[in-house]
Each structure stands twice: as C-alpha cells, then as structure tokens.
C-alpha cells in the first residue's frame, strides 16, 4: 500500500501567470522582494536579467488546469539553470513522483526532477530528441546516466511515474517501464517541474510505501524536536524601537554613525532618482539624518517623496559616514550634482567639495558604458569607500568609482591621487595592507592594485565580476586568504599573490560572509549565496573552502550577515526578515531565532550593535517605518569577558560588501 505525501492538480490556481518578478530585477540580491500572488506549495527559484514575462502559466482546457512552462532556453550555461517550479521537503528520500504531462517540443530537454536539492543539483527525467533520459545535474555538470528510444507525440499527454529507491532510479510511461539508472550522489530531496522547452503539467502526485512513510514521519518529528531544542538555547527577538520614516524612507541605502561627536547614534537614509538607463545612473535626491535614540530628524538635504520608486534600486548610492578629518565628529562623504562633498555631520552643511572627474576616456575602451557613449560630461559616482593608500595613521583617503569600469582615489583634501581602469571594478573594491608596508592596496574585481595605483597582478578571467570580497585567516594554521563570490565564476579563495586555492563554480555567486558558525570545527566557516539563475542557494564551507552543506532557500533577500546574537563567541547569520522563511540561521542550516509575527517591515535588513552591549541588533525597515529588535535576555556570564568581534567598519557601508566577524574578547566594564 502506498501513502500520498503530496498532490496538486492546480485547481486552486486562477488562470494566468504564476507569480514572478515583473522587472526580472536584482532587487532580491539584498531586499526581501517576494513575488506577489498565490503560489500554493510551489516556489519558482529561477530569475534571470535577460528574461521578460513569466516562466510559468496556469492554463485550462476542458475544465482541467495545467501548469505550463513557457520559455525556450539555451543549454550553453549549465549553472544558469532553466525554468523550474519546485516543492517538497529535503527529508524526502524514497518515493514515486507521478504526473500527466505534454511536451510541446522535443528540441531540448523537458520533464521532471526528483531528489531536487537546488536549482543545479537534482536528478532529471528528460524527454529529448525522441529519447528519454535520466540525467544528473550538479553545479556545472550535466551527466546522462541512462537513455532509451521513445517516439514522442507532442499532442499527447503521458502519465509519467518516476521512482527513486536508494541508488536506483526507474521510470514508467503510461504504466510501462521505459528506463532505469543507478547513482549514489543524491539521497534526499523534493521534486520539481522544469525544462528548456514549453511543457504542460497536471495531476502531480508523490507517494511512498508505508515503511518509508513511517520513516519520513520519524525524520520530520526528530527535526521538529531538534529545532525546538536549538531555539530554546538562543534569546528571542524583542522589539526595542520603532522609528517613523515619514516620506523620506528608502530601501537598503542607509549608513550609521555618530554625527554629533557624542555617543548618540544616528543613521542617514538616502532616496534617489534614476537617469538614462535602468539603475546605471541613479543620483541622491534626498538625504535625511535621523537619531536612533529619539527618532527625530537632525537635518535633511533635498526633497523627499512618498513613492515605491525610492526603494526600487539595485545599486549602491555614494555616501558614507566617517570622521575624515579626525576632529572627533563624523562627516558625511557623499557625491551628488557632480561634486564630491564632505558635509558637517551635525547639520549637513558643506565643509569642502570638488568637481567629480570628467568623462574623458574613450567609452569604446570601457566595459558596460551604455550605448558606448558617456551619458553625461561628468562622472555619475556609483560608490564611495574610505581607504588608506597614503599610509596615514588612520584611513583618510576616498575611493570613488563608476558602475563597473573606473576608479579614482582622493586624499582628505579632495586632491586626486590616482586613477585606474582595467576591465572591471566589481561592485565594491576591498582595500587592505596586503604587503605590510603601511599603505593599503586595492583589490577591485580581478585586479590587485598597488597603493600607487599601478597594477600588481590580476586573475586571468574576463567573465562577470566580483560581487563581494573578504580577507582573513580562516584556517588558524594557514595564512590570510582572499575569499570572494564572483558571479558566474562562482566561489573563489586565493592567496594574496593571486594563487588560486579554491574555485567552485556553484551558481552565480552573490553574497559571502565568514564567522565562527560551527564552533566544533577548526577555524572559521564561510557561507555564500547565489542570485541570478537558481537564486538564493546557501553554501556553507569550512575554513579551507570545502563545501559542508547546501540549502535552497525558498525566497530572496538573504543577506548572510554574521550576527553576534548570544554573545558567546558563536555567530549566527541573518537570512531575511520574513516571518515564514527568515530569521537567524545557525551554521547547520537551522532557523534558530525566528522573526516575530508582529507586522514588522520586511523589505530591508541590517545588523549592528546599537544598545552598546557588543551584541548585534536586527534592524528591519520599509519606506515608512524602521523597527529594531534586540535580545529578550542578557548575555550569559563568560570568564573570557564580553564577546566583541571585529566586524566590517560601518564607515564603509555597501550593499556589495562581504561580511566578517573575527573573534575578540574584552574584559567586562565594571
């Protein structure tokens, strides 16, 4: 006797598109930006900037509802994946998937996926070129395990049954066995519909034996009990403050600092407008400084507006908060209206400014200049970073860049020090004194640039760019190492001289962080996410870059920022602000601290110590409100003192910075 563990005939869906991002945008890289509409128990994990319209349509014929994949996709980039609609539990192991389907073309593979783990890790049963195939998808690999001739009628519906039992895979069509294969790589996973050509599906059903059902029930209960135990170990979230953003709210364009030279913390939030082409030329239209303590506006520059457009942006805006002149009071270093400016943090008044560079370079020699023409005579600054190429006692140089091609470095007097351009800058260059000479070098995209602006070395790749970069001694027995995610080049670790140690093309690498996520392991762990193609696959790596586990998240906006939540030396990391799918995850893939179900904003999130106890708060906001959560109980006493990890300095805020949390203990103040 078999037990049904899942079924769907799509009758609950209205005719029309399955929910999708209508802009096919990068918003979900660092915003929680769910597709709007009924999704049932399914999730569409694929996104791609080159797509238009929906991937999936609910259609109807003679009263029967069909889920129809309606794209024609190429197969040249395996890690990009293809349209997939997934469901099920990671705890599923041995089961039979049944479906009625009609393949509308056999030009390219179409069919069903079993033991589905991520958008690039599963077994596939394909119809293709008058054959049926079992294939294994794993990252960039697509391996045919078995195939057989099958003459397909593209007007006919077929009842397909795929069984996975241990390492054995078998398929039957209309009750007749057609194919078998064996493979041991994937032992668990859900199911998915998907392929490279239009296909219609209905009457989805997953069954298993009584014995397997009993084992599955035990696994589910064991996981529930374990999660309950793990959650009890950690403080829960307690609402600490609510701050109204009035009509000046925005997306993840926020910086924190001490603007008045006191202990009082402020944040600056910036609205934007766009020019010319998509998000390539945004500019700051309104800048508002707000007290975290009181919620009152300290000052404001520009005219605010109450529109969704103010958070729908997929780039950085050029502003930082930093005491650039060393007088004990933070300045705001920013660029707008074609000037690089240093503003007094207390009132927003300009202390110093200069014109940004003119666009004198031949646009045909630069990457990603839209239409191969400079849209403006002067530079539209994309991002700002505070650095120390001059070898001063403290950072006081200012790096600015355009979207992808060029960067310039100024001193604190706004005198140009040097300019650099070679292929691509990436999103947010990383500066560090790699050679120990007292001056910072600049690692930008695949280029290591000396403190004098001269190229020292570069990686040989000319595909995509670095999205996020960190540098540290992850293995206590090793040396300091660069770690980065670089789009379609994947996850990379390299020595400071450019020697590549790890290169795992595991999807479009988007975000990265490191912390003591698994304290029972040596060193620090590194977690990464993907975005374009199969989005939001989490990968946990050990200190040497070996994969420990992977997990397909069912939503976007997972920032993976390390969070000192407990104050005991073990980091959690932030996923997203969703009540159902977000919260703080531990190093084993468990959401151990949930977001409260209290109507909080969910668009944006940041983590930062705001109460002064060295533990991090969780900040969430949309364009109307900002809420801050702290722990519901104090940290436990520890003989080592208070855990106060080294983190990325707040004066270098960016949506494209890798995050780190390096251990430090301080004696508790009496």
């Amino acid at each position: 006797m078999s037990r049904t563990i899942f079924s769907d005939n799509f009758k609950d869906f209205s005719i029309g598109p399955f929910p999708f991002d209508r802009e096919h945008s990068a918003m979900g890289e660092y915003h929680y930006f769910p597709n709007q509409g009924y999704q049932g128990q399914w999730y569409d994990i694929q996104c791609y900037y080159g797509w238009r319209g929906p991937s999936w349509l609910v259609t109807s014929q003679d009263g029967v509802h069909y889920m129809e994949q309606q794209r024609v996709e190429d197969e040249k980039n395996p890690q990009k994946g293809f349209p997939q609609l997934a469901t099920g539990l990671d705890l599923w192991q041995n089961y039979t998937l049944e479906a009625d389907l009609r393949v509308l073309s056999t030009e390219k593979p179409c069919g069903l996926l079993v033991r589905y783990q991520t958008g690039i890790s599963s077994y596939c049963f394909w119809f293709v070129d008058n054959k049926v195939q079992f294939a294994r998808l794993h990252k960039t690999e697509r391996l045919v395990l078995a195939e057989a001739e099958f003459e397909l009628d593209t007007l006919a519906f077929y009842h397909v049954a795929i069984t996975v039992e241990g390492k054995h895979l078998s398929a039957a069509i209309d009750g007749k066995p057609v194919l078998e294969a064996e493979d041991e790589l994937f032992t668990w996973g859900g199911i998915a519909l998907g392929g490279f050509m239009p296909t219609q599906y209905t009457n989805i059903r997953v069954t298993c034996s009584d014995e397997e059902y009993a084992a599955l029930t035990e696994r589910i209960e064991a996981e529930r009990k374990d999660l309950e135990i793990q959650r009890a170990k950690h403080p829960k979230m307690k609402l600490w403050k609510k701050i109204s953003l009035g009509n000046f709210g925005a997306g993840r364009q926020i910086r924190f600092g001490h603007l008045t030279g006191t202990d009082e913390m402020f944040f600056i939030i910036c609205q934007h407008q766009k020019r010319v082409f998509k998000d390539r030329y945004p500019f700051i239209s309104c800048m508002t400084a707000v007290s975290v303590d009181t919620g009152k506006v300290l000052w404001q520059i520009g005219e605010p507006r109450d529109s969704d457009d103010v958070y729908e942006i997929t780039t950085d805006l050029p502003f930082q908060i930093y005491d650039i002149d060393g007088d004990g009071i933070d300045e705001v270093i920013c660029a707008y209206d074609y000037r690089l400016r240093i503003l007094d943090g207390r009132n927003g008044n300009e202390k110093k400014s200069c014109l940004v560079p003119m666009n004198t370079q031949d646009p045909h020699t630069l990457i990603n200049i839209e239409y191969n023409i400079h849209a403006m005579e002067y530079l539209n600054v994309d991002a700002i970073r505070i650095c120390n190429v001059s070898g001063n006692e403290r950072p006081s140089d200012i790096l600015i860049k355009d979207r992808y091609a060029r960067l310039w470095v100024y001193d604190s007097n706004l005198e140009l020090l040097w300019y650099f351009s070679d292929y691509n800058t990436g999103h947010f260059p990383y500066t560090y004194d790699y050679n120990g000479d007292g001056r910072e070098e600049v690692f930008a995209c695949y280029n290591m640039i000396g403190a004098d602006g001269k190229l020292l070395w570069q990686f040989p790749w000319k595909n995509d760019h670095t999205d996020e970069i960190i540098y540290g001694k992850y293995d206590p027995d090793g040396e300091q190492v660069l770690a980065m995610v670089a789009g379609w080049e994947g996850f990379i670790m390299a020595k400071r001289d450019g020697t590549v140690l790890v290169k795992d093309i595991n999807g479009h690498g988007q975000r990265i962080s490191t912390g003591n996520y698994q304290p029972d392991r040596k060193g620090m762990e590194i977690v990464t996410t993907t975005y374009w193609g199969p989005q939001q696959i989490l990968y946990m790596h050990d200190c040497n870059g070996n994969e420990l586990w992977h997990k397909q998240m069912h939503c976007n906006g997972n920032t993976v920022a390390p969070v000192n939540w407990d104050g005991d030396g073990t980091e959690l990391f932030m996923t997203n602000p969703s009540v159902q799918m977000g919260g703080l995850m531990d190093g084993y893939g468990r959401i151990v601290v949930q977001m409260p179900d209290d109507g909080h904003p969910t668009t944006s999130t940041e983590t930062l110590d705001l109460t002064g106890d060295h533990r991090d708060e969780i900040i969430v906001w949309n364009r109307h409100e900002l809420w801050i959560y702290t722990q519901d109980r104090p940290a436990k006493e520890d003989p080592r003192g208070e855990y106060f990890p080294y983190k990325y300095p707040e004066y270098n805020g960016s949506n494209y910075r890798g995050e780190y949390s390096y251990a430090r203990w301080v004696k508790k103040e009496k």
Side-chain angles (χ1 to χ4, degrees), residues 43 45-46 79-81 84 116-121 138-139 485 505-511 527-541 547 549-556 558 560 573 585:
Y43 57 98
I45 57 88
Q46 294 289 129
Q79 73 188 98
K80 175 191 164 187
Q84 298 167 40
Y116 177 92
Q117 297 184 1
T118 75
I120 48 175
S121 294
H138 189 49
K139 298 180 180 178
V485 280
I505 301 178
N506 58 8
H508 182 284
Q510 189 64 47
R511 303 202 67 115
V527 61
T528 66
T529 67
T530 64
Y531 191 66
W532 298 114
Q535 63 172 315
Q536 305 297 321
I537 304 173
L538 293 183
Y539 292 98
M540 182 64 73
H541 308 86
E547 183 183 320
W549 53 259
H550 55 253
K551 186 181 186 73
Q552 178 76 67
M553 299 297 284
H554 294 187
C555 67
N556 57 26
N558 298 289
V560 302
F573 61 89
M585 184 175 282

Side-chain angles (χ1 to χ4, degrees), residues 10 42 56 67 83-86 99 111-113 191-195 201 204:
F10 306 114
W42 301 87
W56 297 90
M67 187 64 74
Q84 298 167 40
L85 205 60
L112 298 162
L113 286 63
I191 65 166
L193 321 176
Y201 302 86
I204 312 299

Side-chain angles (χ1 to χ4, degrees), residues 207-496:
T207 59
C208 65
S209 66
D210 286 341
E211 182 181 32
E212 180 65 22
Y213 184 80
L216 173 61
T217 302
E218 286 184 12
R219 291 194 295 270
I220 291 172
E221 181 61 14
E223 184 179 80
R224 186 194 66 78
K225 288 182 178 179
D226 177 64
L227 192 56
E228 191 175 84
I229 292 169
Q230 299 305 322
R231 287 176 173 172
K233 295 178 181 178
H234 303 278
K236 293 181 173 60
M237 291 192 193
K238 179 181 72 173
L239 184 63
W240 183 55
K241 285 185 186 295
K242 286 185 184 182
I243 296 174
S244 171
L245 299 180
N247 61 354
F248 56 82
R252 209 165 180 268
Q253 305 290 345
I254 196 168
R255 306 286 187 266
F256 290 84
H258 300 278
L259 294 175
T260 59
T262 67
D263 290 337
E264 186 175 3
M265 181 68 81
F266 294 83
F267 65 85
I268 287 180
I269 192 164
C270 282
Q271 293 184 343
H272 74 282
Q273 290 182 271
K274 300 174 186 176
R275 292 186 174 116
V276 184
F277 184 84
K278 293 185 177 179
D279 290 0
R280 295 299 172 88
Y281 299 94
F283 63 96
I284 294 172
S285 60
C286 182
M287 180 183 296
T288 307
V290 182
S291 168
V292 172
D293 291 345
T294 67
K296 293 181 179 180
V297 172
L298 179 66
W299 50 262
Q300 185 176 79
I301 296 172
E303 184 176 339
R305 60 198 178 105
D306 194 9
S307 167
D308 284 347
D309 182 59
V310 299
Y311 72 77
E312 291 178 354
I313 183 174
T314 63
T315 70
D316 276 336
L317 289 177
F319 69 110
Q320 302 290 1
I321 299 176
Y322 180 63
D323 180 11
I324 194 76
D325 58 13
D327 67 353
I329 301 171
D330 281 344
E331 283 76 43
V332 180
I333 299 92
C334 58
Y336 60 87
D337 197 26
Y338 309 110
R339 297 190 73 84
L340 178 60
R341 305 169 190 266
I342 299 176
L343 310 181
D344 190 322
R346 295 167 293 190
N347 49 40
N349 294 338
E350 184 177 294
K351 299 177 72 172
K352 195 176 296 185
S353 74
C354 68
L355 275 172
V356 298
M358 292 185 71
N359 286 312
T360 57
Q361 296 83 6
D362 180 354
H364 294 86
T365 66
L366 302 174
I367 192 170
N368 287 336
I369 302 296
E370 302 303 328
Y371 314 116
N372 283 322
I373 188 170
H374 292 298
M376 302 150 198
E377 189 170 24
Y378 286 90
L379 175 70
N380 189 87
V381 179
D382 172 73
I384 292 175
R385 183 185 178 95
I386 309 302
C387 59
N388 190 8
V389 304
S390 299
N392 298 320
E393 290 186 5
R394 57 193 295 276
S396 58
D397 300 319
I398 303 168
L399 182 154
I400 68 173
K401 61 183 285 292
D402 66 359
R403 182 66 175 146
Y404 287 118
R406 300 163 292 172
L407 59 87
W408 296 257
V409 179
Y410 293 79
D411 66 17
S412 59
N413 292 316
L414 303 184
E415 296 291 334
L416 180 65
L417 298 178
W418 48 262
Y419 157 83
F420 181 87
S421 180
D422 191 322
Y423 176 59
N424 199 310
T425 62
H427 285 292
F428 195 62
Y430 193 93
T431 60
Y432 189 85
D433 181 13
Y434 297 97
N435 60 15
D437 67 352
R439 304 167 69 195
E440 288 187 336
E441 288 72 45
V442 179
F443 183 71
C445 193
Y446 306 137
N447 301 309
M448 182 65 80
I449 308 162
D452 59 359
K454 301 294 193 309
L455 180 67
L456 298 176
W457 57 261
Q458 63 185 184
F459 290 125
W461 313 309
K462 294 294 184 184
N463 183 37
D464 222 318
H465 52 251
T466 49
D467 284 276
E468 294 190 351
I469 307 159
I470 51 177
Y471 184 69
K473 192 173 183 179
Y474 316 115
D475 183 344
D477 299 324
E479 59 185 280
Q480 287 186 292
V481 171
L482 280 162
M484 68 202 79
V485 280
W488 300 116
E489 294 290 350
F491 166 59
I492 300 159
M493 295 180 71
K495 295 183 179 180
R496 64 187 180 190

Side-chain angles (χ1 to χ4, degrees), residues 21 50 97 184 229 383 504 567:
D21 176 1
L97 164 62
E184 296 180 312
I229 292 169
D504 186 7

Side-chain angles (χ1 to χ4, degrees), residues 90-133:
D90 289 345
L91 294 175
W92 290 1
Q93 292 182 357
N94 303 308
Y95 55 83
T96 296
L97 164 62
E98 297 178 75
D100 294 332
L101 59 86
R102 178 166 66 168
V103 177
L104 303 182
S105 171
T106 62
E107 187 75 19
K108 297 176 183 179
C110 311
L112 298 162
L113 286 63
V114 291
R115 288 199 178 149
Y116 177 92
Q117 297 184 1
T118 75
I120 48 175
S121 294
S122 66
Y123 292 123
C124 305
F125 178 74
W126 293 134
F127 290 91
V128 58
D129 193 25
N130 285 319
K131 292 177 182 173
V132 287
Q133 291 180 346

